[in-house]
Amino acid sequence: MRLPVVELDQVQRVFPGTPPVEALKPADLVIYEGDYVAIVGPSGSGKSTLLHLLGLLDQPTSGTYKLDGIDVSGLSEAERAGVRGRRIGFVFQSFHLLAHRTTVENVMLAELYRKGKPKDRRNRAVAALEQVGLGHRLDAFPTTLSGGERQRVAVARALTGEPSLLLADEPTGNLDSKTTGSVMELFDDLHRDGLTIATITHDSDVSARAQRRIRIQDGQLSEPDSESRAEEAALAGSRVNTGPAS
Amino acid sequence: MKPKKSHLSIRDLLSEAAIALTARPGRTLLTAMGTVLGVAALVATLGLAKTAGSQIVSRFNELEATRVLIRPDNRNTGRQDDNQVSLLPWDAGDRLQRLNGVNGAGTKSRVSVNDLIRSVPEADGRNEYQLSVIAVSPGTFEAVRAELLTGRFFDEGHSEGKEPVVMLGLGAARRLNVTRVDNQPAIFIGDVPVAVIGIISDVAREPDLLNAVIVSDGFAREQFGLQAPEEVHVDVDLGAAQLIGTQAPVALAPNEPERLRVSVPSSPRRARSGVESDVNALFLILGGVSLLVGAIGIMNVTLVSVLERRGEIGLRRALGASRSHIASQFLFESAALGALAGVIGTALGVLTVVGVSARQQWTPVIDPWLLLAAPAVGALIGLLAGTYPAWKASATEPIAALRST
Ligand SMILES: Nc1ncnc2c1ncn2[C@@H]1O[C@H](COP(=O)(O)OP(=O)(O)O)[C@@H](O)[C@H]1O
Ligand SMILES: [Mg+2]
């Protein structure tokens, strides 16, 4: 039985303002270990808002969120930062690599905010770069890399530290179709290895590769392929509150 | 179960700051410039004040702090000349010489001679000059630290024998065109022939001796009717001046010591602190203003860099940094920048002190604590200047920060 990684219960996000924007209407969602979820929807529909909530970069206006069975709603800012650093890996459309650091130094940043020896960090960063096929570009600076290579560095950084959940916000949005293919194959590989992935995409090719498709329209979340999954999730969720701790 | 908080070690903070500062070295140096100049100004001015102060003090020590001068006090009594006869004895030098701490003592008196001084060989077409004549006792040469160019000083024998011998100050010797004394050339004071037995090249005190014809007390009494010594000069050990100042009047005039006026140096310590505090106050204000300007420079550039690095801030938050980690990162960066500026500024300041001292032929004096305190001041400036930018950085919302490119 696969355990749930993400459990959203009536999670809502309203941005205050005049008028207030309900970027995410109260939503229930369960993502299980090993799931590969594509989040699709038109621009401004609330996809990034959902991803930021999943990644603890933002807090819901109401509702409860359990990550790996931990209710993260009641955590302090520093505790949420700790959970984010250990359990979440992010990949962004614009890569967010630091220009003045080499590939391996960029990847090593992933473990900066936890205890560890620099040497071990480096070894893990090198292993992650080898996993994404960049073992030969360890000391290259981001400006000398192609877009596809940069995004693979970002994926390596997200993988370092073995997160429970990989979150990607339009990871191929800045890439041409050829490099998009290579990054998506990398995601397929990671999915095969059992990583839990949620990725926002506009690309129907990309969403076709995912095993689940979640659709957001005007902040309303739906899962068109399998309406029955919601009930399945509710059943499983009651059993696994003490799910895996790391 | 409480989840683990994220963690950032001091070592990682330091290395992050080092990487950030070395990523753009030119910009780092420009940012630090104001603080560099401020610290340099502070170190240079404190160092120079201290150095100059020590030079003044050492000169003061050698010449002023070891000098005692005794004159009859005519102000209180109203009585004049004839009283001096009894007040200052001719053997004043010998009497004071016996006191502990006295290196040399002797009398000095102007001799009124209306006639000109005449040299035997003509110098540049004329051979008569208006030169002062001064009578001294042999001990006076030591009391004013006279240096002999050639010949010899006259002694007690010359004075007691009222012998017609004189010394010339270097200036007087040049005027009279006397360069050698091995054959004791004759000059005339009015009509009185005297033999030159020595030339004085320099004195530490009483520079009027250098332009004078110097005669012995005995000869001056006999030949020019000198009534009594005018003043007694004493060269004393460092620190002995105050004591000698109280003992000397009793030794010289046991019956009415209060009628002698004694000049002793003011306390050297007071002179020293006076000089330093004047100079320091001015320069400290200057250095403080430069530091303020430097701090504003660091704050401005750090604020700009917080805006430029919004994406990085968002990324770090996504990687697990808490607000306080972001704040400490920017604080460390600006403190490290300030410390770097402090070190460079200290070096520049010390170089300035050494350079100026070399030029002035001073011995550079710098407090060791200054070398430690100045970089610390730089770091403190950086820390203070970084406080507001660091707070701004930590308040940056990660989702907004990540949206920007
Ligand atoms: N920080 C914010 N403050 C106010 N409104 C926001 C903020 N972030 C997003 N929104 C609004 O919420 C809605 C959903 O945005 P977003 O989740 O970024 O959409 P998507 O990623 O699907 O394009 C949009 O209308 C957007 O304008
Ligand atoms: Mg978006």
Side-chain angles (χ1 to χ4, degrees), chain B residues 373-385:
Chain B
V377 165
L380 188 69
I381 294 287
L383 201 65
L384 291 178

Side-chain angles (χ1 to χ4, degrees), chain B residues 8-85:
Chain B
L8 182 58
S9 70
I10 297 287
R11 190 194 54 207
D12 285 335
L13 258 178
L14 277 174
S15 87
E16 286 297 305
I19 291 170
L21 292 182
T22 51
R24 298 168 76 175
R27 177 183 178 142
T28 299
L29 282 182
L30 281 178
T31 309
M33 199 60 86
T35 310
V36 167
L37 292 180
V39 172
L42 213 64
V43 170
T45 49
L46 284 180
L48 282 176
K50 180 98 182 160
T51 300
S54 315
Q55 310 310 315
I56 293 163
V57 168
S58 62
R59 211 167 287 161
F60 187 92
N61 282 345
E62 279 183 4
L63 293 175
E64 293 307 313
T66 56
R67 173 182 194 247
V68 175
L69 174 63
I70 302 134
R71 289 190 176 110
D73 194 347
N74 295 327
R75 290 171 312 180
N76 307 337
T77 62
R79 286 180 289 177
Q80 288 280 327
D81 291 337
D82 45 332
N83 287 308
Q84 289 179 21
V85 178

Side-chain angles (χ1 to χ4, degrees), chain B residues 309-332:
Chain B
R309 289 161 68 186
R310 275 167 66 85
E312 176 187 333
I313 294 170
L315 171 74
R316 287 175 183 274
R317 294 294 297 276
L319 294 176
S322 64
R323 280 185 198 282
S324 61
H325 291 149
I326 299 295
S328 13
Q329 180 193 340
F330 280 91
L331 267 184
F332 251 68

Side-chain angles (χ1 to χ4, degrees), chain B residues 209 233 242 277 306 325 329 337 368 395:
Chain B
L209 289 172
H233 290 264
Q242 307 289 331
S277 66
V306 166
H325 291 149
Q329 180 193 340
L337 184 65

Side-chain angles (χ1 to χ4, degrees), chain A residues 13 15 48 52 57-58 70 74-79 81-88 90 92 94-98 100-101 106 109-110 112-118 121 157 245, chain B residues 1-9 11-13 15-16 19-20 23-24 309 311-312 314-326 329 397-399 401-405:
Chain A
R13 180 62 166 118
F15 289 110
S48 294
H52 292 149
L57 285 171
D58 194 13
I70 304 167
L75 297 183
S76 72
E77 191 264 333
E79 285 164 345
V83 171
R84 186 162 62 231
R86 285 187 182 77
R87 297 177 193 268
I88 310 277
F90 284 99
F92 306 97
S94 53
F95 320 135
H96 282 301
L97 300 179
L98 300 188
H100 295 284
R101 302 191 195 211
N106 264 290
L109 278 178
L112 181 64
Y113 298 100
R114 63 178 89 167
K115 291 183 175 145
K117 295 193 191 111
R121 284 182 193 163
R157 183 179 61 199
Chain B
M1 183 196 78
K2 280 269 172 188
K4 279 191 211 161
K5 291 182 185 178
S6 54
H7 169 270
L8 182 58
S9 70
R11 190 194 54 207
D12 285 335
L13 258 178
S15 87
E16 286 297 305
I19 291 170
R24 298 168 76 175
R309 289 161 68 186
E312 176 187 333
L315 171 74
R316 287 175 183 274
R317 294 294 297 276
L319 294 176
S322 64
R323 280 185 198 282
S324 61
H325 291 149
I326 299 295
Q329 180 193 340
E397 279 305 327
I399 55 172
L402 285 167
R403 211 183 304 267
S404 56
T405 50

Side-chain angles (χ1 to χ4, degrees), chain A residues 47-48 169-170 200, chain B residues 403:
Chain A
K47 304 182 297 294
S48 294
D169 192 344
E170 299 187 37
I200 294 174
Chain B
R403 211 183 304 267

